[in-house]
Amino acid sequence: MEFATFWLAATPLFAVPLIAAALGLILNERAGVLNLGCEGIMLCSALAATAAYLETGQSVALGLVVAIIAGAVVALGFGIFVVILRTNQVVTGITVVFLGSGLTGLIGVPWTNVALGGLQPIHIPGLTGIPVIGRFLFGQDPVVYVVLALVGVVSYALYRTRIGLKLRAVGENPQAADADGVNVEAYRLFAVMAGGALIGLAGGYLALASAKIFVFDMTQGRGWIAVALVIFARWMPWRALLGGLLFGGIEAVIPRIKAEGLPIPQYFLEMAPYAVTLFVLIYAAIRLRAGQDAPKALGVPYVRQDRR
Amino acid sequence: MNAALELQGVHKSFDGNPALVDAFFSAAWGEVHALLGENGAGKSSLMNMVCGLYAPDTGSIKIDGRAVTVDGPLAARGLGVGMVHQHFKLVATMSVAENILLGHGKGGWRRSLRSVRGEIAGIGARIGFTIDPDARIDTLSVSEQQRVEIIKAMIGGAKILILDEPTAVLTDDESAGLLTQLRLFAQSGACIVLITHKLREVFSHADRVTVMRGGQTVDAGRKPSDFTPEKLSALMVGEARVYQIGEHLPPGQVRLELKQLSARRDNGAVALDRLNLQLRGGQVYGLAGVGGNGQAELAEVLMGIRAPKSGVLELEGGPVPPASSGRLRRHGVAHVPAERYLYGLAGDLTVMENFVITHLKDGRFGAWGWTDRRAFERETDAAIAAHNIQGARAATRARLLSGGNAQKLVLARELSGEPGVLVAHSPTRGLDVRACAAVHRALREASRAGTAVLLISEDLDEVLSVADRIGVINRGRIVREYDAPADRQEIGRFMVGHA
C-alpha cells in the first residue's frame, strides 16, 4: 500500500520529461524532421533552467521559460542545418547530442552539483489524502497538469487546425504541400522550433523538478528513450502520454526498490528502463508494424524540382 | 478576344542541356487545346512554367492578354491556372476534404471543412463527378484520385486547366468519360490544355492542336481535321521507325510455370489470386492489364523479392523455393524491373559496376575473392557498343544516363548471361519512340534466341505489337489468353472486367 502510493506519486516526476520531449519530437517528425538531437537539447535547456533559477532569485517559472527558449534556440540551429542547408538529419542530430553534452559540461561548471529548492508539488486538502491515487492525481506540481493539457493541445493542433494539417502534409508529401502553396521550409522550421520548445520544457523540468540539481550528462539517455517512445506511440500524442507514464513508472520504481532494500543489484535496476525500451521497440517492430505509421517523408530533405 | 494563354520565345535549359528552344504556344478561351508530342518533347516543361514550377530562362507568358510572371504554384493559382500533374500531388494518408483544405481553407476548421464538402459536391454535380469527401486518398482508385485533382484545381478557381497525360492511367472507358467532361468544362468558357501523345484523343476530343518535338514547337494552333493521322504522327516523331513484329515461331518447351500462385500486397490485400502462367522458350508472352491488378506483385515474386502465400513456382520443370532472388538468378531468370533506379541500377555506381554486378559469381570476372577489372572493362565496352548505349563509358555514373540509355544498360546486363527467362515490367515507361523500338527489338531478339520473355505492360499497343501470346490480368488472375494477333477491343473489355 505504502509502496504503491509512493511509487505512483513519484511516477509523473519521471514521466513528464519523457512525455514533453516525445510531444516535441512528434511535432518534429510529423513535419518530416528526424531530430535525434533531443538528448543534447534537453541538456542545454536543463543547464539554462538551472542557471536562470540560481542567478535570478530562484524563480522556477523564469527557469522554465528560459529552458523553453533555450530549447527553441538550439532546435532552430539544428533546423537551419537540416531544413535550410539540408544536411543529413541523423548525423546532425547526433552531433547536437555531443555538442549539448560537451557544451554544458564546459560552461556549466558554476551551476553544477548545486542542490535546488526547485518546483514543489501542490497540496489540495482532502483530495490529496485519498489513499493510493490521491497524491498521484492531485498532489503533483503545476507543470504536470500543464503537460497533460499540452498533450490535448498538440493533438488538437495536429488534427483540428489548418496549421496542423499543413504541418502533417509537409511530413507526408512535401511535393503535394508545395504545390498547394504551403511553404515547406517555413513549416518545417516552425515545427522544429515548437518541438524544440517542448523538448526544452522537458530538460528544464528534469533539472528543476525531477532531479532538483544539475549534473553533467544528467539526461542519461532520456532523450533517446523519448525518440523510441515516439515510435511506440506511432506518432500520436495520446499514446505518447501512455507510453511516457509506462516508462516513467519504470524509472520511478527504481528508487522505491532501493528504499525498500530489496535484494536486486543496483546496476540491473538502472539498466531496466533501457532494456524495456529495447523490448518495446522489438514489440513495436513485430506487432505494430511501426514503419507503416511513420510520416512518409520522415528524414528526407525537401528539394523542390529544379527551378533554376 | 484575348488568347487565354500565350507563351512566346521560351528557352529553358537544365544543367546546360537545352530542354526548350524558342517554344511558343497559344490557346483560346472555350476550347480544348491538345499539346501533342512524344516523351521528352518539352510539353510538360513548357506547361510547368505556366503553373510556376519552372522559371523560363527567357520568354514571355501572357494570360488573357496580360504579361505575367509566375513565380510559384500560389501565383499560378492566383492567375486562375490549375494543373493536374501526371504524378498526383495528393497526401495519401489524408482525406479528400483535407487535401483540398490544404490549399483553400478559409475561416475555422469546422466551417471550412463544411464549406469544402459543399464545394466538392457542387462541382461534382456540375461536371458529373461524385467523390466521397471523407475517403482517404490511398483508398481511392487512380481515376478517382485524378478527379480529386481536377476538383481541387476547380475549387482553386482555375479557368485555365492543364492536364498532363490525364488518360495515361485510365482505362478506355474512363478516358472517354473524362474527356467528355473536360469538353463540357471548356464549353462553359474555360480553357483546357490537354498534354498527350495519343493521336486518338486529339482527333476525338480536341478543338485545336499544337505539336512539339525536341523542345521546339513544330506546328501550332491548327484544327485536327486539317491533318491526317499519318501527317500528325510524322510531325510528332520526325523520322522514327516503328518496330515491326517478325513472324511467330512455334513455341518451345515450358521454361517457367506458376501453378495456383497467390500473393498478398504489403497491406495484406490479395494481389495474386491462384494465378496460372506458362512461359515458353522462343516466345514473348505479353501480359496486358490496367495497373494495380497484381502486375507489380507478380514481377516481385518472379524476382524472388516477394514470398508467395501459396502455390508453386517451377523452373525448367523443378520447383524453386519462394523468395530466393539469388537462386532464381543462378537458374537463369533475368529481370528488367519497372523501377529502374530502385531495383535495376545503382545510380551512383559506374556503368561498368552496374553491368558486372549480377555476374560476379559466374566466374567470367575472376574467381572467388578477387575481380578482374580488365575483363570488366572489356565486356562493358563490348556491351556499350553492341547495345548502342549513348553517352556511356565504362566509368560513367549510371545516374547520368538518359532514361532510354539506362534501360539499354539494364537490358544489356540482363541479356548478357543468355537467360532462360526474362521478366520485363513496363520496360518502355518514360522512354521516347526510338528507345522504345530498341527495347522491343531486344526483347524479340532474345526470344528468337530461345529465351522465354514475359512482357508485363500497361500499354496495350505495346503488348499487341511485340507479343506472340497475350494474357490479360485482372484482379490478380489471368482471365484470358490469346495467340497473337488478337482483337484489341475484346482485350480491352477483359482488362476492365466488363466482359
Side-chain angles (χ1 to χ4, degrees):
Chain A
M1 193 70 154
E2 185 102 305
F3 182 86
T5 309
F6 281 119
W7 175 32
L8 280 177
T11 292
L13 217 50
F14 292 93
V16 159
L18 296 176
I19 296 167
L23 275 184
L25 287 172
I26 287 174
L27 282 180
N28 278 212
E29 297 191 13
R30 280 285 188 175
V33 180
L34 180 63
N35 185 351
L36 295 182
C38 184
E39 178 98 354
I41 297 173
M42 281 175 79
L43 278 170
C44 290
S45 46
L47 177 66
T50 311
Y53 178 85
L54 289 172
E55 299 300 322
T56 61
Q58 318 223 327
S59 161
V60 172
L62 189 71
L64 289 176
V65 168
V66 169
I68 289 168
I69 294 170
V73 168
V74 177
L76 175 64
F78 170 76
I80 288 172
F81 271 94
V82 299
V83 177
I84 309 288
L85 302 175
R86 304 189 197 103
T87 59
N88 182 296
Q89 297 185 3
V90 173
V91 175
T92 312
I94 291 173
T95 309
V96 170
V97 175
F98 289 109
L99 190 71
S101 167
L103 200 63
T104 53
L106 180 70
I107 64 174
V109 179
W111 303 290
T112 301
N113 287 326
V114 183
L116 315 168
L119 189 58
Q120 298 301 329
I122 55 169
H123 183 78
I124 306 171
L127 290 178
T128 311
I130 299 170
V132 187
I133 58 163
R135 283 187 55 197
F136 174 59
L137 290 179
F138 305 108
Q140 302 297 333
D141 58 64
V143 176
V144 172
Y145 304 105
V146 170
V147 167
L148 199 58
L150 280 175
V151 174
V153 169
V154 169
S155 194
Y156 182 86
L158 278 178
Y159 293 103
R160 289 287 177 271
T161 67
R162 217 150 39 234
I163 290 177
L165 180 73
K166 290 178 181 176
L167 194 147
R168 285 186 291 133
V170 158
E172 286 287 341
N173 187 343
Q175 285 78 13
D178 192 14
D180 283 325
V182 180
N183 186 331
V184 175
E185 291 182 346
Y187 265 87
R188 286 193 163 174
L189 264 189
F190 163 73
V192 167
M193 280 189 75
L198 283 167
I199 296 169
L201 175 63
Y205 185 88
L206 193 65
L208 297 184
S210 308
K212 297 194 173 63
I213 191 168
F214 178 83
V215 296
F216 179 66
D217 263 350
M218 67 178 299
T219 45
Q220 292 189 319
R222 287 187 180 84
W224 294 108
I225 293 183
V227 171
L229 193 52
V230 172
I231 299 169
F232 172 72
R234 294 151 87 185
W235 294 268
M236 289 178 224
W238 290 108
R239 289 169 178 272
L241 174 64
L242 294 179
L245 284 173
L246 174 71
F247 280 97
I250 293 164
E251 275 194 68
V253 82
I254 296 171
R256 297 298 347 138
I257 288 176
K258 284 186 196 166
E260 297 282 325
L262 295 176
I264 303 174
Q266 179 189 354
Y267 292 110
F268 179 82
L269 285 177
E270 284 170 2
M271 181 194 75
Y274 311 105
V276 172
T277 307
L278 207 55
F279 283 115
V280 161
L281 285 179
I282 293 169
Y283 170 80
I286 295 170
R287 291 303 309 242
L288 308 178
R289 296 191 178 200
Q292 287 192 340
D293 299 304
K296 297 289 171 297
L298 180 58
V300 185
Y302 177 60
V303 188
R304 197 183 255 192
Q305 292 176 345
D306 33 26
R307 26 168 338 196
R308 281 149 289 175
Chain B
M1 197 159 100
N2 288 323
L5 174 63
E6 192 169 2
L7 293 110
Q8 274 173 335
V10 177
H11 286 265
K12 175 75 184 174
S13 50
F14 296 110
D15 291 334
N17 300 318
L20 292 171
V21 181
D22 196 22
F24 56 96
F25 180 84
S26 175
W29 295 114
E31 72 170 350
V32 175
H33 196 115
L35 181 53
L36 183 71
E38 26 168 352
N39 289 313
K43 303 165 297 196
S44 301
S45 299
L46 189 65
M47 287 303 139
N48 276 334
M49 295 183 178
V50 182
C51 77
L53 279 180
Y54 297 162
D57 294 341
T58 61
S60 68
I61 302 174
K62 282 186 187 169
I63 288 175
D64 202 22
R66 210 157 46 87
V68 293
T69 43
V70 193
D71 53 9
L74 264 190
R77 202 162 70 207
L79 293 163
V81 175
M83 182 153 174
V84 177
H85 297 270
Q86 241 175 318
H87 301 286
F88 302 145
K89 298 196 183 276
L90 298 170
V91 184
T93 52
M94 292 183 181
S95 73
V96 173
E98 282 182 316
N99 264 284
I100 287 169
L101 261 185
L102 205 50
H104 305 292
K106 299 176 267 300
W109 176 263
R110 279 173 189 226
R111 241 201 23 238
S112 48
L113 205 57
R114 202 178 320 133
S115 82
V116 158
R117 283 204 186 98
E119 285 186 74
I120 293 172
I123 287 180
R126 208 167 91 216
I127 56 176
F129 286 170
T130 50
I131 212 100
D132 173 10
D134 295 316
R136 250 173 72 141
I137 296 297
D138 52 12
T139 65
L140 299 178
S141 73
V142 173
S143 76
E144 287 171 321
Q145 292 183 22
Q146 189 177 55
R147 293 176 179 189
V148 175
E149 284 277 22
I150 292 170
I151 288 175
K152 195 167 84 171
M154 290 174 73
I155 289 180
K159 289 185 203 65
I160 300 174
L161 185 61
I162 304 164
L163 298 105
D164 194 355
E165 311 239 354
T167 58
V169 291
L170 304 182
T171 62
D172 285 359
D173 283 353
E174 287 170 337
S175 303
L178 173 72
L179 292 168
T180 311
Q181 279 151 347
L182 290 175
R183 175 118 265 218
L184 286 175
F185 186 37
Q187 277 162 3
S188 71
C191 167
I192 308 279
V193 179
L194 181 68
I195 301 176
T196 182
H197 59 231
K198 295 183 183 164
L199 292 178
R200 250 182 306 153
E201 288 172 5
V202 175
F203 283 108
S204 61
H205 288 93
D207 297 298
R208 291 196 299 156
V209 56
T210 293
V211 186
M212 290 187 75
R213 186 196 336 141
Q216 288 177 301
T217 307
V218 292
D219 198 287
R222 285 200 273 169
K223 289 191 170 66
S225 52
D226 294 349
F227 299 95
T228 61
E230 292 72 27
K231 179 81 196 309
L232 206 48
S233 80
L235 271 176
M236 181 167 104
V237 299
E239 36 70 73
R241 299 143 293 167
V242 177
Y243 182 71
Q244 293 295 323
I245 189 170
E247 58 187 317
H248 297 289
L249 295 177
Q253 84 213 56
V254 176
R255 288 184 172 269
L256 186 147
E257 183 166 10
L258 300 180
K259 289 180 178 165
Q260 298 284 314
L261 193 99
S262 296
R264 290 179 181 279
R265 290 182 213 283
D266 290 335
N267 64 11
V270 172
L272 299 177
D273 183 14
R274 284 160 288 150
L275 178 135
N276 294 306
L277 176 67
Q278 281 188 337
L279 301 181
R280 291 173 182 275
Q283 190 182 59
V284 176
Y285 187 105
L287 189 61
V290 179
N293 273 296
Q295 293 100 319
E297 289 77 11
L298 175 62
E300 286 171 4
V301 166
L302 292 174
M303 269 193 260
I305 57 174
R306 177 179 295 275
K309 191 172 149 282
S310 62
V312 183
L313 194 170
E314 282 185 1
L315 206 54
E316 312 285 0
V320 178
S324 50
S325 56
R327 195 175 306 220
L328 283 169
R329 266 207 183 278
R330 278 196 298 286
H331 283 75
V333 182
H335 320 281
V336 178
E339 310 272 343
R340 242 180 328 267
Y341 284 102
L342 186 59
Y343 296 124
L345 293 171
D348 285 324
L349 297 186
T350 62
V351 166
M352 179 180 80
E353 287 163 330
N354 272 292
F355 180 74
V356 300
I357 186 82
T358 55
H359 302 300
L360 287 176
K361 277 189 178 168
D362 62 12
R364 266 151 67 195
F365 303 120
W368 187 87
W370 64 283
T371 51
D372 180 354
R373 284 188 74 87
R374 285 242 186 87
F376 278 13
E377 278 174 26
R378 199 174 53 239
E379 299 232 1
T380 307
D381 287 338
I384 289 172
H387 287 262
N388 190 23
I389 306 174
Q390 283 158 13
R393 284 177 302 114
T396 311
R397 284 213 261 170
R399 196 152 48 85
L400 300 176
L401 298 178
S402 73
N405 286 305
Q407 192 68 301
K408 285 185 199 165
L409 172 61
V410 174
L411 272 165
R413 176 184 69 205
E414 297 300 318
L415 293 174
S416 79
E418 285 164 14
V421 179
L422 176 71
V423 179
H425 187 190
S426 297
T428 58
R429 185 184 287 171
L431 303 188
D432 62 35
V433 171
R434 224 178 302 266
C436 283
V439 169
H440 292 162
R441 198 176 319 119
L443 295 180
R444 292 292 300 174
E445 281 166 9
S447 81
R448 294 313 87 148
T451 301
V453 177
L454 173 63
L455 169 66
I456 304 173
S457 177
E458 288 159 33
D459 181 348
L460 183 50
D461 292 318
E462 173 173 53
V463 171
L464 288 171
S465 69
V466 180
D468 301 296
R469 190 165 169 77
I470 296 163
V472 181
I473 188 167
N474 190 345
R475 294 182 199 182
R477 308 189 75 148
I478 292 181
V479 290
R480 209 73 166 177
E481 288 183 313
Y482 304 89
D483 282 319
D487 176 22
R488 192 177 195 285
Q489 307 290 324
E490 190 181 326
I491 292 178
R493 283 199 301 277
F494 277 105
M495 276 166 64
V496 295
H498 290 326

